[in-house]
Amino acid sequence: MVQSQTSIDIYVLVFGGALALSLLVAGIVGFLLFYQKRLADQALMLKEMELNYQQDVVYRTLDAVEDERKRVARDLHDEVGAALSAMRLLVGQLAHKSQNNTETDDLTIRFKVVIDNTIDSVRRISNDLLPQGLEELGLTYALEGLCESAMDIADVNVELTVEHEITLPTRTNLIVYRLVQELLNNALKHADASDIRLQLRQRDNRLELLYADDGKGFDYAQAYQQRSLGLKNIETRAQMLNGTVSFETQPGQGLRVTASIPLTTNL
């Protein structure tokens, strides 16, 4: 009887010890898992803070650049444009005073042509720096003006389609405008295209920008490896809106670009 009781006590002791050890191990494992999760949460929080800080720096830089562009555009329009208009008026008065001097008349006409071309250049540069009507009349109006300017300075047809009026935050409007401007500038400089199609549409909670041209195309992998500034600018502007952009092109096959931007982006 004593031996049996002793065996039971040993079993209880062993079982109790094993149970206590299991609970201790479980507690240690649980503590380690909790500690690791806490470290992971802190690392994620620090990463989000760093990302938010980087975005804040980017947006502040963007705002500063756009403010400077506005200042330069206004100076060009108000000061340089006014000075050129005054010069044109004076040249016209000079021609009026020397009506019988053929040589002076010819020189006056040449002066007027040069001044008129300079005024047009100043107006174009000013419009590039400060999107006309973007803040007052919206993105669609500003993009229409951008497309018309492209057709004025190059032998190209630009077709813009906007599905309904899409209301976006001011900064988003500006970034989308600059993205389209970069696409058109690249097309006019490098693509040798005769037809460009642009489409802006809303799909679910995303804004999609579709671009296609019939230009000469290029080797995308080679251009990206060489860090083409135009491609990088387009990609960066999409990323600033937490969006994505894809390029489809081959030599001789034109270019197609799709940018997808979440409409929930809070800018």
Side-chain angles (χ1 to χ4, degrees):
M1 179 69 67
V2 175
Q3 185 177 1
S4 176
Q5 184 64 40
T6 303
S7 299
I8 293 174
D9 292 341
I10 292 174
Y11 288 144
V12 171
L13 182 62
V14 171
F15 178 76
L19 180 61
L21 182 61
S22 298
L23 291 175
L24 178 62
V25 171
I28 293 174
V29 171
F31 173 78
L32 290 175
L33 290 175
F34 173 78
Y35 184 69
Q36 287 180 342
K37 183 178 182 303
R38 188 170 181 179
L39 288 178
D41 290 342
Q42 288 180 343
L44 180 61
M45 183 175 65
L46 288 173
K47 188 174 182 179
E48 289 178 350
M49 290 175 61
E50 182 180 359
L51 180 60
N52 290 335
Y53 174 76
Q54 291 175 348
Q55 284 186 328
D56 185 60
V57 170
V58 170
Y59 294 143
R60 288 178 183 272
T61 303
L62 173 67
D63 291 342
V65 170
E66 291 299 333
D67 287 344
E68 183 64 15
R69 282 181 168 183
K70 289 179 181 179
R71 186 190 66 78
V72 173
R74 292 192 178 107
D75 287 348
L76 281 173
H77 180 271
D78 296 340
E79 297 182 21
V80 179
L84 288 170
S85 297
M87 287 174 60
R88 193 184 191 285
L89 181 62
L90 290 174
V91 169
Q93 292 177 353
L94 178 63
H96 181 72
K97 291 180 179 180
S98 55
Q99 294 178 352
N100 298 324
N101 192 328
T102 304
E103 183 178 353
T104 302
D105 289 343
D106 291 340
L107 190 59
T108 299
I109 293 173
R110 290 167 60 187
F111 275 147
K112 282 186 175 181
V113 170
V114 172
I115 292 173
D116 287 343
N117 290 338
T118 305
I119 290 175
D120 289 339
S121 297
V122 169
R123 185 178 295 114
R124 176 177 55 80
I125 294 171
S126 179
N127 289 339
D128 287 343
L129 291 171
L130 183 62
Q132 295 299 306
L134 181 62
E135 294 184 1
E136 300 84 1
L137 301 174
L139 181 61
T140 301
Y141 177 86
L143 291 180
E144 288 174 349
L146 193 61
C147 294
E148 290 174 1
S149 296
M151 290 188 287
D152 286 341
I153 63 177
D155 185 17
V156 61
N157 176 61
V158 184
E159 179 182 341
L160 172 66
T161 303
V162 180
E163 294 186 2
H164 312 296
E165 185 63 31
I166 301 172
T167 303
L168 301 172
T170 301
R171 187 181 283 157
T172 303
N173 269 342
L174 181 58
I175 295 175
V176 172
Y177 177 90
R178 293 300 183 197
L179 196 156
V180 174
Q181 188 178 43
E182 189 71 41
L183 285 168
L184 291 177
N185 286 342
N186 285 344
L188 298 183
K189 290 179 182 178
H190 308 296
D192 194 24
S194 59
D195 186 65
I196 297 174
R197 296 188 306 279
L198 279 164
Q199 183 179 11
L200 204 62
R201 66 190 187 187
Q202 183 176 343
R203 290 295 181 269
D204 298 325
N205 289 324
R206 302 188 73 84
L207 175 69
E208 290 186 351
L209 171 65
L210 310 177
Y211 167 93
D213 68 43
D214 61 350
K216 58 187 180 183
F218 55 90
D219 186 325
Y220 174 75
Q222 181 180 4
Y224 194 81
Q225 189 174 24
Q226 294 174 349
R227 300 188 67 81
S228 167
L229 186 59
L231 295 181
K232 195 62 181 176
N233 284 343
I234 295 169
E235 190 176 58
T236 300
R237 294 187 188 281
Q239 290 174 349
M240 289 174 68
L241 297 172
N242 297 323
T244 59
V245 61
S246 62
F247 301 87
E248 297 179 38
T249 183
Q250 290 292 335
Q253 296 184 17
L255 170 65
R256 286 160 296 284
V257 180
T258 301
S260 180
I261 299 165
L263 292 175
T264 54
T265 299
N266 184 17
L267 296 180

mmCIF file of all heavy atoms in Angstrom, residues 209-227:
data_model
loop_
_atom_site.group_PDB
_atom_site.id
_atom_site.type_symbol
_atom_site.label_atom_id
_atom_site.label_comp_id
_atom_site.label_asym_id
_atom_site.label_seq_id
_atom_site.Cartn_x
_atom_site.Cartn_y
_atom_site.Cartn_z
ATOM 1 N N LEU A 209 -5.410 56.789 -66.758
ATOM 2 C CA LEU A 209 -4.958 57.634 -67.858
ATOM 3 C C LEU A 209 -4.360 56.726 -68.917
ATOM 4 O O LEU A 209 -3.387 56.004 -68.651
ATOM 5 C CB LEU A 209 -3.919 58.652 -67.366
ATOM 6 C CG LEU A 209 -3.206 59.461 -68.452
ATOM 7 C CD1 LEU A 209 -4.197 60.358 -69.189
ATOM 8 C CD2 LEU A 209 -2.081 60.300 -67.851
ATOM 9 N N LEU A 210 -4.947 56.744 -70.101
ATOM 10 C CA LEU A 210 -4.485 55.908 -71.211
ATOM 11 C C LEU A 210 -3.898 56.804 -72.294
ATOM 12 O O LEU A 210 -4.543 57.758 -72.736
ATOM 13 C CB LEU A 210 -5.633 55.072 -71.773
ATOM 14 C CG LEU A 210 -6.460 54.277 -70.764
ATOM 15 C CD1 LEU A 210 -7.598 53.549 -71.457
ATOM 16 C CD2 LEU A 210 -5.583 53.295 -70.008
ATOM 17 N N TYR A 211 -2.691 56.478 -72.711
ATOM 18 C CA TYR A 211 -1.996 57.261 -73.740
ATOM 19 C C TYR A 211 -1.532 56.312 -74.837
ATOM 20 O O TYR A 211 -1.035 55.208 -74.561
ATOM 21 C CB TYR A 211 -0.791 57.976 -73.135
ATOM 22 C CG TYR A 211 0.160 58.564 -74.160
ATOM 23 C CD1 TYR A 211 0.041 59.879 -74.578
ATOM 24 C CD2 TYR A 211 1.183 57.786 -74.720
ATOM 25 C CE1 TYR A 211 0.899 60.417 -75.525
ATOM 26 C CE2 TYR A 211 2.042 58.310 -75.663
ATOM 27 C CZ TYR A 211 1.904 59.629 -76.064
ATOM 28 O OH TYR A 211 2.747 60.149 -76.999
ATOM 29 N N ALA A 212 -1.681 56.736 -76.091
ATOM 30 C CA ALA A 212 -1.190 55.928 -77.209
ATOM 31 C C ALA A 212 -0.779 56.853 -78.350
ATOM 32 O O ALA A 212 -1.459 57.851 -78.637
ATOM 33 C CB ALA A 212 -2.256 54.944 -77.687
ATOM 34 N N ASP A 213 0.347 56.541 -78.994
ATOM 35 C CA ASP A 213 0.748 57.294 -80.176
ATOM 36 C C ASP A 213 1.233 56.325 -81.252
ATOM 37 O O ASP A 213 1.505 55.153 -80.989
ATOM 38 C CB ASP A 213 1.817 58.354 -79.845
ATOM 39 C CG ASP A 213 3.162 57.764 -79.452
ATOM 40 O OD1 ASP A 213 3.621 56.794 -80.101
ATOM 41 O OD2 ASP A 213 3.788 58.269 -78.490
ATOM 42 N N ASP A 214 1.308 56.819 -82.485
ATOM 43 C CA ASP A 214 1.754 55.991 -83.611
ATOM 44 C C ASP A 214 3.180 56.346 -84.010
ATOM 45 O O ASP A 214 3.549 56.229 -85.182
ATOM 46 C CB ASP A 214 0.810 56.155 -84.803
ATOM 47 C CG ASP A 214 0.767 57.595 -85.311
ATOM 48 O OD1 ASP A 214 1.322 58.495 -84.631
ATOM 49 O OD2 ASP A 214 0.187 57.839 -86.389
ATOM 50 N N GLY A 215 3.978 56.777 -83.035
ATOM 51 C CA GLY A 215 5.355 57.188 -83.303
ATOM 52 C C GLY A 215 6.287 56.016 -83.552
ATOM 53 O O GLY A 215 5.872 54.865 -83.717
ATOM 54 N N LYS A 216 7.572 56.326 -83.532
ATOM 55 C CA LYS A 216 8.574 55.324 -83.900
ATOM 56 C C LYS A 216 8.890 54.350 -82.770
ATOM 57 O O LYS A 216 9.574 53.348 -82.998
ATOM 58 C CB LYS A 216 9.855 56.016 -84.359
ATOM 59 C CG LYS A 216 10.470 56.957 -83.323
ATOM 60 C CD LYS A 216 11.632 57.714 -83.932
ATOM 61 C CE LYS A 216 12.265 58.666 -82.920
ATOM 62 N NZ LYS A 216 13.362 59.456 -83.522
ATOM 63 N N GLY A 217 8.387 54.605 -81.554
ATOM 64 C CA GLY A 217 8.626 53.675 -80.452
ATOM 65 C C GLY A 217 10.106 53.604 -80.076
ATOM 66 O O GLY A 217 10.948 54.322 -80.616
ATOM 67 N N PHE A 218 10.420 52.695 -79.158
ATOM 68 C CA PHE A 218 11.802 52.549 -78.708
ATOM 69 C C PHE A 218 11.951 51.252 -77.922
ATOM 70 O O PHE A 218 10.958 50.584 -77.604
ATOM 71 C CB PHE A 218 12.222 53.743 -77.841
ATOM 72 C CG PHE A 218 11.312 53.998 -76.664
ATOM 73 C CD1 PHE A 218 11.552 53.403 -75.432
ATOM 74 C CD2 PHE A 218 10.214 54.839 -76.792
ATOM 75 C CE1 PHE A 218 10.710 53.639 -74.357
ATOM 76 C CE2 PHE A 218 9.369 55.081 -75.714
ATOM 77 C CZ PHE A 218 9.617 54.469 -74.493
ATOM 78 N N ASP A 219 13.185 50.898 -77.630
ATOM 79 C CA ASP A 219 13.478 49.725 -76.804
ATOM 80 C C ASP A 219 13.334 50.141 -75.345
ATOM 81 O O ASP A 219 14.189 50.837 -74.803
ATOM 82 C CB ASP A 219 14.899 49.220 -77.089
ATOM 83 C CG ASP A 219 15.203 47.909 -76.374
ATOM 84 O OD1 ASP A 219 14.717 47.724 -75.241
ATOM 85 O OD2 ASP A 219 15.911 47.067 -76.941
ATOM 86 N N TYR A 220 12.236 49.717 -74.710
ATOM 87 C CA TYR A 220 11.938 50.191 -73.356
ATOM 88 C C TYR A 220 13.014 49.755 -72.358
ATOM 89 O O TYR A 220 13.442 50.555 -71.517
ATOM 90 C CB TYR A 220 10.574 49.666 -72.901
ATOM 91 C CG TYR A 220 10.271 49.985 -71.460
ATOM 92 C CD1 TYR A 220 9.905 51.274 -71.077
ATOM 93 C CD2 TYR A 220 10.387 49.008 -70.465
ATOM 94 C CE1 TYR A 220 9.644 51.583 -69.758
ATOM 95 C CE2 TYR A 220 10.123 49.313 -69.139
ATOM 96 C CZ TYR A 220 9.756 50.588 -68.794
ATOM 97 O OH TYR A 220 9.509 50.891 -67.487
ATOM 98 N N ALA A 221 13.446 48.494 -72.437
ATOM 99 C CA ALA A 221 14.437 47.995 -71.480
ATOM 100 C C ALA A 221 15.726 48.802 -71.565
ATOM 101 O O ALA A 221 16.321 49.161 -70.539
ATOM 102 C CB ALA A 221 14.716 46.511 -71.749
ATOM 103 N N GLN A 222 16.141 49.110 -72.786
ATOM 104 C CA GLN A 222 17.373 49.888 -72.956
ATOM 105 C C GLN A 222 17.195 51.314 -72.449
ATOM 106 O O GLN A 222 18.061 51.854 -71.758
ATOM 107 C CB GLN A 222 17.762 49.906 -74.433
ATOM 108 C CG GLN A 222 19.051 50.681 -74.722
ATOM 109 C CD GLN A 222 19.405 50.674 -76.201
ATOM 110 O OE1 GLN A 222 18.653 50.150 -77.018
ATOM 111 N NE2 GLN A 222 20.535 51.245 -76.549
ATOM 112 N N ALA A 223 16.047 51.926 -72.763
ATOM 113 C CA ALA A 223 15.794 53.302 -72.322
ATOM 114 C C ALA A 223 15.716 53.377 -70.804
ATOM 115 O O ALA A 223 16.241 54.308 -70.187
ATOM 116 C CB ALA A 223 14.504 53.814 -72.945
ATOM 117 N N TYR A 224 15.072 52.375 -70.183
ATOM 118 C CA TYR A 224 14.943 52.402 -68.724
ATOM 119 C C TYR A 224 16.295 52.159 -68.063
ATOM 120 O O TYR A 224 16.609 52.748 -67.023
ATOM 121 C CB TYR A 224 13.942 51.342 -68.266
ATOM 122 C CG TYR A 224 13.504 51.524 -66.835
ATOM 123 C CD1 TYR A 224 12.513 52.438 -66.505
ATOM 124 C CD2 TYR A 224 14.100 50.795 -65.798
ATOM 125 C CE1 TYR A 224 12.105 52.627 -65.200
ATOM 126 C CE2 TYR A 224 13.698 50.984 -64.487
ATOM 127 C CZ TYR A 224 12.703 51.893 -64.196
ATOM 128 O OH TYR A 224 12.313 52.080 -62.890
ATOM 129 N N GLN A 225 17.103 51.281 -68.673
ATOM 130 C CA GLN A 225 18.426 51.012 -68.123
ATOM 131 C C GLN A 225 19.311 52.255 -68.189
ATOM 132 O O GLN A 225 20.132 52.499 -67.304
ATOM 133 C CB GLN A 225 19.082 49.858 -68.879
ATOM 134 C CG GLN A 225 20.369 49.338 -68.253
ATOM 135 C CD GLN A 225 20.888 48.115 -68.973
ATOM 136 O OE1 GLN A 225 20.587 47.904 -70.140
ATOM 137 N NE2 GLN A 225 21.670 47.303 -68.282
ATOM 138 N N GLN A 226 19.089 53.052 -69.217
ATOM 139 C CA GLN A 226 19.841 54.298 -69.360
ATOM 140 C C GLN A 226 19.215 55.429 -68.548
ATOM 141 O O GLN A 226 19.658 56.560 -68.629
ATOM 142 C CB GLN A 226 19.900 54.709 -70.834
ATOM 143 C CG GLN A 226 20.695 53.737 -71.700
ATOM 144 C CD GLN A 226 20.628 54.084 -73.177
ATOM 145 O OE1 GLN A 226 19.832 54.932 -73.595
ATOM 146 N NE2 GLN A 226 21.449 53.439 -73.979
ATOM 147 N N ARG A 227 18.170 55.067 -67.774
ATOM 148 C CA ARG A 227 17.490 56.006 -66.875
ATOM 149 C C ARG A 227 17.016 57.240 -67.625
ATOM 150 O O ARG A 227 17.367 58.382 -67.303
ATOM 151 C CB ARG A 227 18.386 56.398 -65.708
ATOM 152 C CG ARG A 227 18.827 55.227 -64.842
ATOM 153 C CD ARG A 227 19.550 55.682 -63.599
ATOM 154 N NE ARG A 227 18.672 56.392 -62.700
ATOM 155 C CZ ARG A 227 17.824 55.818 -61.857
ATOM 156 N NH1 ARG A 227 17.718 54.506 -61.825
ATOM 157 N NH2 ARG A 227 17.075 56.544 -61.050
#
